[in-house]
Amino acid sequence: FARKTLTTAITGASLALLAVQVQAAQTVNLGHTLSDSSHYSVGADAFKETLERLSDGEFEVVEHTAGALGGERALIEGLQIGTVDVVITSTGPLGNFVPETYVLDLPFLFEDYDQARCVLDSDLGQDLLDKMSDHDIVGLAWSENGFRHMTNSQRAVKTPADAEGLKVRTMENKVHMEAFEQMGVHPTPMAFPEVFTALQQGTVDGQENPITVIVATKFWEVQDHLSLTGHVYSPAAILGSPILLDGLSDEERGWFIEAARASAEATREEVSRLEREGIELLRENGMTVETEIDKAPFQEAVQPAYEIYTEQYGSEMLERVRASS
Ligand code: EAX
C-alpha cells in the first residue's frame, strides 16, 4: 500500500514536472502560403532556429505551410485577431490593410534585386514597417518573393499584344489589377491557395509569379509558357500579431525582430539561387521560356497605373522610393 502511494506520488510529481516543461515553451504559430520546399519555408526554418536559440527554448515555432491557415489576406486578418502569430506574405493583399505599402506594388518600380533590397533596407523600409502598427500589425522585417513573370497555357507571350485578352489570375491588389487592365489582359484576383486548381480547370489562362513560386508550386504541370517579363518586384513581409508581441518584453520582441531578419536573409539567398538555377529546372519540366523580352512596350502599357496611383495616394511615397534608390 505504501509502495503504491509512493508510486502515485512520483507519477504525480513527474506529471507536474512535465506540465511545467510543456508550459515553458510558448508556441508561436507561423503561417505562409507556399510549399515546404519554397523560399518562404527556408525563411521560416531560419526564423524558427533563430528565435528558439535566442530565447533558449522559451518560444517554440510551429510552421503552417501551403496555405494550411488560409490565403495571405486571411493570414493578415489572423494576425489582427491573434489566430496566427507570425506570417510571411507577399505585399499582394497588404495594401488593403496598410495603404502606404501600395507604392511597392507599382510595376517596373525597381530595376534589379540590389536596388529593391537597398530601398527596403533603408529608412523608408523601416518607416513602412513602423506604419503597420497603426493597423494592428507588427512589421518585423522585409523579406523577398522576387521579380514576377507571366505564365500561361495558351501561347508564347513576347509583347503586350500577345498577352491581350488572356485571363490572368492576379493577387488581390488594386495596383496590380490596374496595371494588367492597362496591358489589355483580364485580371482575375484570387487567393493563392486557389490558383493551381483554377489553372488546372481553365478558369484562368495564366498567372504571374516569381521563379521561386513557379518552382515551389510546380506550375509547369498546368502552364506551358513562361515569359520573363519581370514586370514587378514582389517584396515579402514578415509580420507579427500585436496580440502576442505587445505582451512581450523589449528583449523578447528584439528576438522576434532578429529572427525575422535572419529569415529574410536566408530567403533572399534562396531567391538568388533560384534566379540562377530555376529557369533551367522549369525548362527540364517542359516549360518554354521566353527570355528575350523587350520590357519597353510593357512598361509603356502600364504607365497609366502610375497616374491612377498618384491621384489617389499622392506622390510623396513614390518620390521617397526614388530618393532611396
Ligand atoms: O507570396 O499570391 C501570390 O501570387 C504570392 O506571390 C504567393 O502567395 C507568395
Side-chain angles (χ1 to χ4, degrees):
F1 176 71
R3 202 169 63 198
K4 194 174 168 202
T5 311
L6 185 64
T7 316
T8 312
I10 292 171
T11 313
S14 356
L15 279 179
L17 198 68
L18 194 69
V20 168
Q21 280 172 350
V22 168
Q23 264 177 7
Q26 183 174 352
T27 299
V28 174
N29 289 300
L30 180 155
H32 67 76
T33 52
L34 298 177
S35 72
D36 287 347
S37 65
S38 65
H39 57 306
Y40 284 3
S41 275
V42 168
D45 291 349
F47 183 89
K48 176 179 169 69
E49 190 279 315
T50 309
L51 183 64
E52 291 178 0
R53 178 171 43 78
L54 293 175
S55 71
D56 199 13
E58 181 185 325
F59 296 102
E60 187 192 345
V61 178
V62 178
E63 298 175 30
H64 305 270
T65 61
L69 301 181
E72 295 185 329
R73 179 197 279 265
L75 284 170
I76 298 172
E77 283 165 358
L79 291 172
Q80 295 179 317
I81 57 173
T83 52
V84 59
D85 303 309
V86 174
V87 163
I88 304 174
T89 177
S90 73
T91 51
L94 191 56
N96 295 307
F97 301 86
V98 188
E100 289 83 355
T101 66
Y102 273 134
V103 69
L104 301 172
D105 301 315
L106 285 164
F108 299 106
L109 180 65
F110 298 118
E111 269 173 34
D112 55 32
Y113 278 98
D114 284 346
Q115 189 192 21
R117 290 171 182 178
C118 176
V119 168
L120 291 171
D121 292 344
S122 73
D123 291 347
L124 170 63
Q126 188 56 49
D127 287 353
L128 286 171
L129 292 173
D130 294 343
K131 257 272 165 268
M132 295 179 195
S133 57
D134 297 347
H135 307 274
D136 287 332
I137 299 165
V138 182
L140 293 170
W142 286 111
S143 184
E144 188 163 77
N145 197 16
F147 276 92
R148 301 177 80 90
H149 307 292
M150 294 174 68
T151 72
N152 82 92
S153 57
Q154 303 296 311
R155 53 184 178 260
V157 168
K158 292 183 192 163
T159 65
D162 296 333
E164 223 172 283
L166 288 175
K167 238 178 141 182
V168 175
R169 176 269 175 177
T170 66
M171 297 200 287
E172 298 162 282
N173 180 296
K174 60 180 181 185
V175 175
H176 283 198
M177 287 172 67
E178 188 59 54
F180 282 107
E181 288 273 5
Q182 299 294 339
M183 211 191 278
V185 310
H186 302 302
T188 308
M190 196 183 289
F192 187 77
E194 294 161 36
V195 177
F196 191 94
T197 309
L199 292 168
Q200 195 167 38
Q201 295 180 343
T203 318
V204 288
D205 303 311
Q207 63 88 46
E208 44 82 54
N209 251 303
I211 304 292
T212 50
V213 177
I214 300 171
V215 169
T217 318
K218 299 191 164 78
F219 275 145
W220 59 74
E221 290 178 2
V222 286
Q223 299 277 271
D224 291 334
H225 306 281
L226 166 64
S227 306
L228 298 183
T229 44
H231 50 275
V232 65
Y233 174 76
S234 185
I238 306 179
L239 309 174
S241 169
I243 292 168
L244 171 68
L245 282 137
D246 288 355
L248 301 182
S249 68
D250 286 351
E251 187 188 26
E252 290 167 326
R253 277 175 74 101
W255 297 334
F256 275 75
I257 291 169
E258 210 173 316
R261 288 184 180 156
S263 172
E265 201 182 313
T267 294
R268 282 179 178 179
E269 269 174 34
E270 182 64 0
V271 173
S272 296
R273 185 185 73 80
L274 284 162
E275 283 292 331
R276 291 191 303 271
E277 300 168 13
I279 291 167
E280 201 39 50
L281 188 75
L282 296 175
R283 282 206 180 99
E284 280 165 22
N285 282 287
M287 283 188 115
T288 59
V289 186
E290 301 300 330
T291 51
E292 301 307 316
I293 302 288
D294 178 8
K295 297 205 176 148
F298 284 96
Q299 208 160 347
E300 204 174 307
V302 301
Q303 194 54 38
Y306 275 76
E307 280 122 55
I308 293 162
Y309 165 83
T310 44
E311 263 165 37
Q312 198 168 354
Y313 298 104
S315 52
E316 190 205 326
M317 291 307 283
L318 188 55
E319 279 158 19
R320 283 193 64 191
V321 168
R322 289 190 167 139
S324 317
S325 303

